[in-house]
Amino acid sequence: MQLTRLPPEIINEIGYFLGGPDIINLRLTCRKLYQDTIPSFKTAFFSSITFDLCPHSLDRLRQVANDDALRFYVQQLIIGEPRTPKSCVHRAWDLVDVGVEWTRVPSSTRANYLDPSPEKNAIITDIAATVTKFPNLRTFGVRDDGEPNQEPFPEVPTNALYFLDFFHIGVLLVSRSNLPIQSFRVMHPGDPECTTGCLNYLLPCNIGASLSPMWATHLVDLELERYAGHQPLVELVVSAVSLRRLQLRSVTDEMLQVLTAEMPDDSKLEIFELRRSFRLRPEDLIGFLRRMRKSIRHVFFRCIGIQGNEPWTQVLASWAVELKALRSFALHHLTCNHRAYDKWAFDGVLEWDGGGLAGGELEFVAAAVAPERMGVVGVAYRSEENADVRRVLARMAEVGRVHPSRSALRFMESEDLERYNSESQLTFEAQHVVGGGPRGLVAKMGDEFEPPVFKLPGPAFPPSR
């Protein structure tokens, strides 16, 4: 059957599976395919828009906002590329040509945060009016493509912006647009080192006063990257009373204590992801998750260091008893006392026979474990049975420091082994371990687990006008 004989709905569905260049090539083949793939084309190119504060970028954003054929397809806006005096002087100075100067709250000692009042920094109010024209907008992101910001000079040029300024602008845009934003994300495409928080004052301490009621009633997904340690950001978390997914990075034990004290008792948080946070105390980590023990279903940790004598034993044992709604967890690169070489040993899990589990799969990741059962850097388990999840956590707390066995391992077929070795991945199949090996233990390809996919609630996309 010729492609052009298919119903328009089927052709458009095919378009949803194509990338940008492919759907363009498909539409250039004939008039029928051009017409039938209009919705999928608009979805591919206009469902997510990245913009910055330069005149040309803002003009493009306004053009889409004023086009009734396009604006209904926009579901995600990302304000990107911070303009710092150090890295992007020529782009920052472009704003002066159109009369844009940023008004900051006065300070006699250092650069301070942007003045949030509507009559100041009118460009923010202007952009918010543009954002309001995207009725189906659900996600707002702040993308950090630059190097970590350094301490600014006491007198910052009035046209200069730092990344936390973009963060602040993003919060103001979400609030002033008065749209039911469900997801607010601070993103970085790479894996930069965490900053020390020296720019904390570029966010107002009372940032919660800038939030609209929509933040509390509609925000369900909050992702804060390397600046999550700033105390003003606590208000962003605790004000989102409908929050279901929270991802934090570079948090401190002080911030965990404040979050534990201020999180609502009826928290709806289901997914908690924590990345690259060190020098935490086990009691603070335990206390925070204990607060969400009735709702938390998924825990994802990567590169986390806590202090103390066998601290992860305390944490895992606590989770096994208290997290009564937990359905899955994934733990990567756990360390003790902030020493990279003092890693929590997952190797003992390989000695467990998996007995007593009704279902689910206990997965692990490692570069290689032969000839000894050691070198495991991550463990994950998923099951609909909470009792199984808690049983696995309890067992991990027991065997975390067990010395790995030297019993032989049965390798995979030579063809598969060569392929795995070439990719620096696993070199054996756990189901084939000799000597009463683990049942239900599965070697995972790759070097890390992915966090659970969180789908925003709401109608299917594309929405109708």
Side-chain angles (χ1 to χ4, degrees), residues 31 41 86 95 231 265 284 301 395 431 455 465:
R31 183 173 299 175
F41 169 78
K86 178 181 177 181
L95 299 179
Q231 289 297 328
D265 292 330
D284 294 328
F301 279 14
R395 182 58 176 165
Q431 295 94 325
K455 295 183 178 179
R465 291 181 50 177

Side-chain angles (χ1 to χ4, degrees), residues 1-15 18 22 25-27 29-30 32-34 36-37:
M1 177 183 291
Q2 293 182 356
L3 182 62
T4 53
R5 293 182 179 273
L6 293 174
E9 296 81 6
I10 300 299
I11 295 177
N12 186 57
E13 286 296 322
I14 294 174
L18 301 179
D22 293 331
N25 292 333
L26 178 65
R27 302 183 80 227
T29 56
C30 68
K32 175 176 173 53
L33 294 181
Y34 180 89
D36 291 348
T37 55

Side-chain angles (χ1 to χ4, degrees), residues 105-120:
V105 173
S107 173
S108 59
T109 59
R110 60 192 179 190
N112 213 340
Y113 58 86
L114 295 174
D115 193 325
S117 57
E119 61 273 10
K120 303 292 185 180

